[in-house]
Amino acid sequence: MPNLGVPELLIILLALVLLFGAKKLPDMARGIGRSLRIFKSETAKLRDDDDEPQHTVQQAQAPMQAQPQAQPVQPQPIQAAPAPAPAPAPAPALSAEEQARQLEEQAARLRAGAASQADKHA
């Protein structure tokens, strides 16, 4: 692929401005940036999830290897234990990107509502 110099980049930039308009370009760039941040965080979570099972398997195997000869366990009488109360389901934690997206959506709804009320009064 040929190297892109300053004149070529200016031509590409001019074509983008003519196609999309100067007002839309910052919004498009912002949206692409958000998408890349979300994608990056999700791929990092996937890598972390892939690493966790290996660690748990290694941790589970380490105690078994450390004590190859187990002592016999004496049977104990079974006692009825009271049933534990069901714990309430924890609310899912939102990432910073998800919180920012929700706030932006809420702000957009508020702006749209304010604009419609301004149109009614005008």
Side-chain angles (χ1 to χ4, degrees), residues 35-101:
S35 299
L36 289 175
R37 268 186 266 129
I38 292 170
F39 180 75
K40 184 178 178 182
S41 68
E42 292 298 323
T43 55
K45 287 179 187 176
L46 286 175
R47 275 191 233 116
D48 291 343
D49 289 345
D50 289 344
D51 291 343
E52 287 177 11
Q54 293 174 354
H55 293 299
T56 55
V57 169
Q58 291 172 355
Q59 290 172 354
Q61 289 176 351
M64 287 190 279
Q65 291 173 356
Q67 299 176 0
Q69 297 177 354
Q71 297 292 331
V73 178
Q74 297 295 328
Q76 296 180 358
I78 299 175
Q79 298 175 2
L94 296 177
S95 68
E97 289 86 11
E98 291 169 341
Q99 290 176 353
R101 182 183 50 79

